[in-house]
Amino acid sequence: MSTVTVVGAGPSGIHFADALLARGHTVRMLDVGERPSATVHGEQSLEGLKGALDDPVRYFLGEGLESVIQPDHGSEYYGLPPSKAYVFEDPEAVGVDADGFEPLFSGARGGLAQAWTGGCYPFNDAELADFPFDFDAVRPYYEEVAGRIGVTGVEDDLAAFIPMHGGLEPPPELDRHAALLLERYRSVGGRLRGRDRARLGRSRVSVLTGEGRAGREPCAYLGRCLWGCPRKALYTPALTLDELTGHPRFEYLPGRRVLRFGVDDAQRVRSVTWRGPDGGPEQTEPVEILALAAGTLATSRIFLESWKTSRGDVVRLEGLMDNRQVMVPFLTPARVGHAYEPDSYQYNLVAMGLEADSAEEYVHCLITTLKTALVHPVIQSLPLDLRTATWVFRHIRAGLGLVNVNFHDRRRSDCYVELGRGESSGGSRLRIVYRPPEDETARVKVALRRLSRSLRDLGAIVPPGMTRWRPMGASVHYSGTLPMTPEERPLTTDATCRSRDFENLYVVDGSTFPFLPAKNLTFTLMANARRVAAEAFGG
Amino acid sequence: MRTRRRRRSVRGAERLLTSTCDEAEREAVRLGGYLFGRPPGTEVVRAYVSDAAVRHIGGPVDAFDRTLLRIALRGELFARAADMYARLARPNAWLRRKLVLLLALSEVHGSDHAPFHEPVSPGMLRFTLYAAGRGLITLGSVVVLSPLFVALHLLRRGRSAS
């Protein structure tokens, strides 16, 4: 049995560790380890909190009002609540120079997925064509993850794009707006499928709807998904980490930002060097086997820094990918004047798939009907004076929704990461360069036209001029810098995510993905980490 | 009748403010009166004048910003026109930032968040009629005050050119 040092406590690292422990190995996990503040008023709904809290401004908007979204804020319709501020690190403090990319980093216990929306969409065979395995090979690991974290879903029209697997729970209850869209789809679905090659169905999300488990209770529709579910119904990786910390062969070591690893003459990893999140002296400790799971950007930096230190030359990791996301607001007139439903599941309950000529270029649309949220960003975005905008908003609130349209990405040589000039507390600065593909604008426009037509058939209107392209980096689905490839070449990994440059180094996060479909990758990150644990460390 | 009642309640709230109260409190009451047709609650006013709010609103403010705010504080129609002008011509105006802050503070207080979610006119037809009426009021106030805004706009351009 081996002792594996895992760097990073995001979804990949935690599920990799869980699977290793199940196979009898010992795991040491090095992590920055930022923690959230305590949950407030466990059973209050989000609207109830507004009356129950002594200081609602501090809870909802932050001590420095940092969650107030002013007109110059940019392209977002939603702001992050202060309770999730701990998830993200300041890119300046991390030491990043980005061109064409707005990266997000996390030092949180649980990683960036502590602020995810729970989407669990397995990749199908077309999307896995560049991976060294197909859906059937990874299916048991999807099922293992689903059983561990609780994933909801039903077999509906979307199954044409999103393969079915075992371990699915019934989906959360629909709000009336989402139910209306699905009801209309039942009558106009044929037209959508034929003309626009669009299909509507239930979202697959990681939320408990059946029985509680491991200290988690099923969803009670408190509308607090984004703020931090007090019942822990919405899965976040830190919940699994909490479970693992009681394991006798698991050691969680927070307060360690890994800078690089050290190798011997045979290019075997022998040590890792880290320092505290706020700086301090460097410390080195020995490792037997190292697994990098710090997230694509942080993993890439550790790899680049280690390469430079051990081999003396500087390399560039090409192929950085991320999903382009476009936000499309819509209004369903039939819901105008109705009361909105604050006590409901807050995130998307339905999703739309747009088939592409090439199956792997599928476009995935997450449809969120507006329920609980801070709404001043939406109100001020209306092209009206604020008094009229507030009045209009309150009447149309129950009919408002937002589609998050996701597009696939491919590895390209003009999207890369390399070490930059200068130092930061996190080590050498990281330079990130991203260039969108040439056909992107045309492709997105075509998809948006199809989406608008489909929404119109479902009885919804897309207001002109309100569609917003999120900057690259905003979707946080980073991947592709150390890909799994069939051919042996430097700066790649094999089918078990083992480095071709350092024999006892594994890379178990999104860095190894050779292709990025339009779907949220987190479910596949967790499944792949478990697959690597099984195939490289004993079945 | 309804408008007169609302105006009275905003003025009543202003009278309740002590003579030593901060100018910012008066501002919160007037802007709140414009936004919601009634003065904001004391907790919202307190949050509006807090150090955090002052820091949040802080930043470069020029004479045009100050003039726009002064116009808005003259009354509901003035505020509506100034706000609409800012929305179209200067989205990040000081006035607009203050109004957005007041919106945000109001929506998180249990006693003040009703204007954000209580529909009063069910049905698309009534909504359309109401909305058209409100749109006409806004349009009318912008038209009436347009000479003033044109003058301000020219003044602003002249200053920035020099």
Side-chain angles (χ1 to χ4, degrees):
Chain A
M1 291 295 137
S2 312
T3 297
V4 182
T5 300
V6 179
V7 178
S12 312
I14 288 169
H15 281 265
F16 184 61
D18 188 34
L20 287 177
L21 292 169
R23 286 164 179 82
H25 300 284
T26 298
V27 177
R28 302 181 80 241
M29 182 171 277
L30 311 183
D31 189 31
V32 177
E34 295 289 340
R35 283 174 171 274
S37 49
T39 306
V40 294
H41 292 272
E43 291 301 317
Q44 278 282 0
S45 69
L46 194 76
E47 290 300 336
L49 281 178
K50 292 178 180 176
L53 289 171
D54 292 336
D55 188 357
V57 171
R58 187 175 173 175
Y59 179 76
F60 285 101
L61 302 173
E63 208 148 350
L65 299 174
E66 56 274 7
S67 292
V68 177
I69 307 290
Q70 287 289 353
D72 58 349
H73 188 79
S75 60
E76 300 294 346
Y77 279 110
Y78 289 115
L80 266 180
S83 58
K84 287 290 166 72
Y86 81 99
V87 176
F88 301 98
E89 291 190 287
D90 175 9
E92 196 41 53
V94 175
V96 178
D97 303 306
D99 178 4
F101 204 76
E102 294 185 18
L104 289 166
F105 287 84
S106 178
R109 211 171 171 273
L112 287 162
Q114 290 301 110
W116 77 327
T117 54
C120 285
Y121 298 96
F123 295 178
N124 59 30
D125 278 339
E127 293 159 341
L128 290 169
D130 291 342
F131 287 70
F133 49 84
D134 60 10
F135 174 70
D136 278 339
V138 74
R139 183 208 295 261
Y141 306 105
Y142 279 131
E143 290 174 351
E144 198 178 322
V145 175
R148 190 81 165 86
I149 71 176
V151 176
T152 68
V154 287
E155 184 157 10
D156 55 20
D157 266 8
L158 277 183
F161 309 125
I162 305 160
M164 295 303 295
H165 56 81
L168 292 174
E169 296 192 20
E173 287 171 20
L174 289 168
D175 60 79
R176 282 193 281 276
H177 188 186
L180 180 66
L181 295 174
L182 277 173
E183 192 185 308
R184 291 219 168 123
Y185 179 70
R186 274 191 278 278
S187 53
V188 300
R191 191 158 69 216
L192 260 66
R193 287 188 295 270
R195 187 193 61 198
D196 291 315
R197 291 184 291 159
R199 289 166 184 261
L200 194 72
R202 295 302 308 264
S203 302
R204 305 243 189 119
V205 287
S206 180
V207 61
L208 289 188
T209 55
E211 290 178 5
R213 70 181 75 154
R216 298 169 62 200
E217 295 174 272
C219 180
Y221 304 97
L222 299 174
R224 291 172 62 176
C225 309
L226 177 62
W227 271 261
C229 178
R231 298 169 65 86
K232 301 174 183 172
L234 183 78
Y235 177 77
T236 55
L239 296 172
T240 305
L241 180 56
D242 289 342
E243 287 179 54
L244 297 187
T245 45
H247 197 288
R249 281 181 280 103
F250 181 75
E251 196 176 3
Y252 179 64
L253 300 160
R256 289 158 161 82
R257 188 192 296 281
V258 171
L259 304 173
R260 61 183 170 275
F261 52 82
V263 301
D264 60 17
D265 291 343
Q267 298 300 307
R268 280 185 64 84
V269 177
R270 291 295 181 201
S271 64
V272 283
T273 299
W274 55 268
R275 67 178 162 210
D278 301 319
E282 291 186 2
Q283 308 211 35
T284 298
E285 56 186 88
V287 298
E288 182 186 328
I289 296 170
L290 184 65
L292 295 178
T296 294
L297 298 179
T299 286
S300 298
R301 170 151 62 185
I302 294 167
F303 187 93
L304 289 165
E305 182 79 33
S306 309
W307 184 287
K308 183 179 150 193
T309 308
S310 64
R311 304 200 177 187
D313 61 337
V314 175
V315 288
R316 173 185 282 185
L317 299 180
E318 296 177 347
L320 174 66
M321 298 183 284
D322 188 26
N323 293 126
R324 169 69 78 188
Q325 291 187 330
V326 180
M327 309 302 265
V328 181
F330 68 93
L331 170 70
T332 305
R335 294 288 304 152
V336 168
H338 289 273
Y340 98 105
E341 295 161 86
D343 300 330
S344 51
Y345 179 72
Q346 193 187 6
Y347 290 143
N348 62 86
L349 287 160
V350 288
M352 184 183 284
L354 299 177
E355 193 182 338
D357 292 336
S358 179
E360 76 277 13
E361 297 188 358
Y362 161 79
V363 179
H364 191 56
C365 310
L366 302 168
I367 301 178
T368 305
T369 49
L370 182 65
K371 285 150 298 193
T372 51
L374 286 185
V375 296
H376 67 274
V378 183
I379 293 174
Q380 53 130 323
S381 71
L382 298 175
L384 298 163
D385 65 87
L386 285 171
R387 179 178 174 136
T388 309
T390 306
W391 185 89
V392 167
F393 174 80
R394 115 169 105 135
H395 287 76
I396 64 175
R397 180 172 189 161
L400 284 177
L402 189 66
V403 186
N404 182 355
V405 190
N406 287 257
F407 295 86
H408 75 280
D409 201 6
R410 291 182 195 282
R411 298 186 68 251
R412 280 166 285 119
S413 60
D414 54 356
C415 303
Y416 58 86
V417 293
E418 62 185 7
L419 292 181
R421 288 184 185 159
E423 289 273 322
S424 70
S425 61
S428 298
R429 293 185 72 83
L430 188 69
R431 182 159 182 266
I432 304 169
V433 176
Y434 187 92
R435 297 283 174 264
E438 281 178 9
D439 66 338
E440 184 187 57
T441 305
R443 203 158 32 86
V444 170
K445 280 183 178 169
V446 169
L448 294 183
R449 269 200 299 274
R450 289 168 61 198
L451 172 70
S452 295
R453 264 200 316 257
S454 300
L455 285 172
R456 204 162 48 233
D457 282 343
L458 295 172
I461 303 163
V462 175
M466 295 192 72
T467 294
R468 293 182 180 177
W469 290 47
R470 298 186 83 198
M472 288 311 298
S475 86
V476 208
H477 297 163
Y478 313 147
S479 46
T481 51
L482 289 161
M484 289 180 264
T485 58
E487 72 279 9
E488 285 194 29
R489 56 186 163 90
L491 310 180
T492 61
T493 50
D494 69 12
T496 60
C497 294
R498 189 165 73 163
S499 168
R500 293 221 168 85
D501 305 292
F502 305 100
E503 190 191 322
N504 56 340
L505 174 69
Y506 290 82
V507 182
V508 293
D509 56 25
S511 312
T512 61
F513 283 20
F515 175 71
L516 183 64
K519 300 165 180 168
N520 183 320
L521 81 173
T522 310
F523 191 36
T524 305
L525 287 178
M526 296 188 272
N528 183 55
R530 287 181 177 277
R531 182 192 67 85
V532 173
E535 292 180 6
F537 294 88
Chain B
M1 186 71 182
R2 223 172 126 197
T3 312
R4 223 178 293 145
R5 243 199 332 263
R6 260 197 255 120
R7 242 182 243 145
R8 264 207 303 275
S9 68
V10 172
R11 283 185 188 147
E14 278 193 61
R15 269 199 297 274
L16 286 176
L17 299 173
T18 64
S19 56
T20 54
C21 83
D22 198 84
E23 189 64 24
E25 291 182 359
R26 251 178 247 285
E27 186 181 290
V29 169
R30 287 194 180 180
L31 294 181
Y34 152 62
L35 281 176
F36 309 118
R38 57 180 171 74
T42 49
E43 287 177 339
V44 172
V45 173
R46 203 177 303 139
Y48 183 82
V49 301
S50 68
D51 290 346
V54 172
R55 276 196 301 274
H56 178 80
I57 290 300
V61 175
D62 61 17
F64 183 80
D65 271 322
R66 289 199 183 86
T67 308
L68 204 61
L69 180 63
R70 268 203 300 275
I71 292 170
L73 292 174
R74 289 186 69 83
E76 192 184 307
L77 281 184
F78 284 90
R80 193 184 286 244
D83 180 15
M84 189 65 206
Y85 170 79
R87 175 68 180 87
L88 298 173
R90 190 159 159 145
N92 203 32
W94 199 34
L95 167 65
R96 192 83 184 172
R97 292 175 63 83
K98 282 172 179 272
L99 288 169
V100 168
L101 173 64
L102 204 51
L103 266 185
L105 294 174
S106 300
E107 77 160 306
V108 302
H109 278 93
S111 53
D112 284 76
H113 76 142
F116 297 94
H117 65 83
E118 283 181 2
V120 290
S121 60
M124 192 62 190
L125 181 64
R126 287 184 71 189
F127 166 76
T128 308
L129 290 173
Y130 272 115
R134 283 177 173 257
L136 281 175
I137 293 171
T138 302
L139 191 65
S141 58
V142 171
V143 169
V144 168
L145 292 174
S146 58
L148 176 63
F149 290 130
V150 169
L152 284 169
H153 197 66
L154 292 173
L155 183 69
R156 199 180 117 211
R157 283 181 62 184
R159 277 195 182 153
S160 55
S162 64

